[in-house]
Amino acid sequence: MESNKEGRNVDVRLQSTIRHVGQAADKHELNAEGTLVEKAGKTYLRFVEDLNGQQVQTTVKLEEQDALIMRSGAVQMRLPFTQGEIRPGSYGNGPATFDLLVKTTKLEVGADKFIAHYELHAEGALLGRHELNITYTEGQ
């Protein structure tokens, strides 16, 4: 894999399915260039999303027992994942920030993939069920 100071270049493919209560499934797909970074014995995947013309920097901590997605920029988000557990997270868009509970039902971390199935809860209510599948391969 090609290396640079920031890590190894990878092509990222993100597929997301969100099932909101009482609504049809909402599917999203994103292809981006990213970097795979080793830091303090942990591996992180970093890439930038374009969200309606605004940049969102996404970092995924690739660890099966303690995974984490952090987004900053147009959206502020922190989603921690531990299979079978409920953990506190947050979501912010502009001045509004919401506390979330993240209930992880499936978590798989491999050499080239990150899969998380989880429920998001806020103020005691289920917001939706999410299926996230991120694959990453050596950049061309």
Side-chain angles (χ1 to χ4, degrees):
M1 253 186 209
E2 185 181 331
S3 290
N4 62 37
K5 284 194 273 186
E6 296 293 312
R8 297 174 300 193
N9 294 326
V10 291
D11 291 325
V12 179
R13 183 172 183 212
L14 180 149
Q15 295 171 296
S16 170
T17 301
I18 304 169
R19 290 177 175 83
H20 296 285
V21 179
Q23 297 180 21
D26 190 12
K27 297 184 182 223
H28 299 278
E29 189 168 318
L30 168 78
N31 292 299
E33 294 178 3
T35 53
L36 207 53
V37 178
E38 300 280 337
K39 195 173 190 180
K42 311 280 187 222
T43 303
Y44 299 87
L45 175 65
R46 294 183 176 154
F47 56 95
V48 176
E49 300 174 65
D50 185 315
L51 191 65
N52 301 322
Q54 297 184 21
Q55 300 289 302
V56 177
Q57 174 70 45
T58 300
T59 301
V60 182
K61 180 181 174 189
L62 301 170
E63 193 170 314
E64 196 154 359
Q65 300 305 314
D66 185 30
L68 178 67
I69 294 179
M70 296 171 286
R71 298 171 77 200
S72 61
V75 168
Q76 303 289 323
M77 186 173 73
R78 184 179 184 283
L79 296 180
F81 302 101
T82 302
Q83 187 161 329
E85 292 188 15
I86 298 173
R87 303 203 34 212
S90 62
Y91 176 85
N93 188 343
T97 300
F98 303 95
D99 290 331
L100 301 171
L101 290 176
V102 182
K103 180 181 179 183
T104 307
T105 56
K106 178 179 180 179
L107 183 61
E108 289 181 30
V109 179
D112 61 354
K113 69 178 178 181
F114 176 88
I115 298 171
H117 293 189
Y118 58 97
E119 295 178 356
L120 287 183
H121 297 259
E123 298 180 0
L126 173 64
L127 299 179
R129 291 182 173 85
H130 298 246
E131 295 176 9
L132 181 63
N133 185 352
I134 301 174
T135 55
Y136 43 96
T137 56
E138 180 178 344
Q140 301 299 321

